[in-house]
Amino acid sequence: MRFTDDLGSSHGWRLRRGVLDDGREVFAKTGAASEVFASEAAGLRWLGEAIAVPEVIEVGSDRLVLSWVRQEPPGQAAAERFGRSLARLHRSGAPGFGAPWPGFIAELPMDNAPGPGWPAFYAERRVLPFLRMARLPASDVALVERAVERFGEVAGPAEAPARIHGDLWSGNVLWSGGDAVLVDPAAHGGHRETDLAMLDLFGLPYLDRVLGAYREEWPPAEGWRERVPLHQIHPLLVHVVLFGGSYRDALMSAVRRVLAL
């Protein structure tokens, strides 16, 4: 493999564009030895059984090499196709909540051990571990803990584990060949509303078209829009851990909205 372009860095990893001996273009992510690359590769392969993702060319403890995704501007038709594909991905299911590989979101470890049900899994494997890392004021911690106590009441109807991307913000949705290609997953068996809430958190082009097509394919349970803040607590805590207090107000706003449900 020959590297052709240095694409900078992200979360301590070096990002490069390269060409294989057979002429195929690839994307390479390299860094210190870690389980994160194997985790990402496992997630991509699992998601790739049901939705478009880059091909995993090579994975090792210090690198991940993927097929190159040629990007294009999004359009309404592509957004609608993505909505239907995302619903089918979720509907393809998972053996349980969690995954049989170590979890990561960015460079942060994420516990993928199975949970007894989604509210407890979300509290014990997603929210509380990151709350302990977030270094929030004691009053904020207490408020988040109050919200956690309500997860079982406000989570909506119980659903079987969905096959989810787990970090589905707009930067992880690449548009190529008239379709959406998903990258950088934190894939696991989870709640499908988590992916929908992530798309809403930082916005996505033609999101209304995506959600409309999703609803036509597999309507979410009644009240899902009111539960969006519930599913945003975890990613906002992750952002507080990674980037500091600039995300605190958004986090605490989501927490208060959950407490008001």
Side-chain angles (χ1 to χ4, degrees):
M1 178 172 61
R2 175 173 57 87
F3 291 125
T4 59
D5 296 286
D6 189 329
L7 305 177
S9 61
S10 176
H11 299 289
W13 303 309
R14 202 47 151 181
L15 311 179
R16 295 182 176 92
R17 184 176 181 173
V19 179
L20 301 180
D21 293 342
D22 61 9
R24 285 181 294 167
E25 288 186 291
V26 295
F27 169 82
K29 182 187 296 186
T30 60
S34 168
E35 292 181 299
V36 68
F37 299 124
S39 175
E40 183 174 339
L44 284 170
R45 288 167 173 150
W46 188 54
L47 297 177
E49 296 172 4
I51 202 168
V53 300
E55 178 189 356
V56 177
I57 305 294
E58 179 188 354
V59 60
S61 63
D62 63 348
R63 69 173 55 197
L64 177 64
V65 181
L66 307 173
S67 59
W68 183 260
V69 178
R70 292 186 176 274
Q71 296 187 58
E72 62 189 25
Q76 294 183 8
E80 291 170 2
R81 281 194 291 273
F82 174 41
R84 291 189 289 271
S85 296
L86 184 63
R88 290 193 290 268
L89 169 71
H90 291 163
R91 207 167 202 167
S92 66
F97 295 108
W101 52 79
F104 289 87
I105 188 162
E107 73 269 30
L108 300 176
M110 197 166 61
D111 188 354
N112 272 345
W118 185 79
F121 175 85
Y122 187 57
E124 297 166 10
R125 306 283 192 267
R126 296 295 179 260
V127 172
L128 292 176
F130 289 89
L131 179 62
R132 290 190 284 269
M133 289 189 278
R135 298 185 180 181
L136 290 167
S139 57
D140 288 356
V141 171
L143 211 60
V144 175
E145 289 175 339
R146 279 179 53 199
V148 168
E149 292 173 357
R150 297 207 63 216
F151 283 179
E153 302 171 39
V154 302
E159 291 194 356
R163 186 175 308 208
I164 71 169
H165 179 282
D167 191 14
L168 198 57
W169 71 288
S170 58
N172 288 341
V173 181
L174 308 184
W175 304 94
S176 179
D179 286 310
V181 179
L182 305 189
V183 298
D184 291 341
H188 63 280
H191 199 302
R192 61 188 177 125
E193 291 177 14
T194 294
D195 276 351
L196 302 182
M198 276 296 291
L199 289 174
D200 180 77
L201 184 56
F202 298 116
L204 182 81
Y206 303 106
L207 180 57
D208 58 335
R209 296 280 182 159
V210 173
L211 295 177
Y214 186 102
R215 289 194 300 270
E216 290 176 6
E217 185 74 26
W218 189 23
E222 185 177 351
W224 74 271
R225 287 191 178 277
E226 287 71 32
R227 292 189 294 273
V228 164
L230 167 66
H231 293 268
Q232 291 179 344
I233 289 177
H234 172 240
L236 286 169
L237 271 169
V238 170
H239 277 72
V240 171
V241 173
L242 288 173
F243 306 115
S246 59
Y247 287 93
R248 174 177 170 261
D249 287 349
L251 167 66
M252 298 316 296
S253 174
V255 168
R256 291 186 180 92
R257 288 166 66 191
V258 169
L259 287 170
L261 289 175

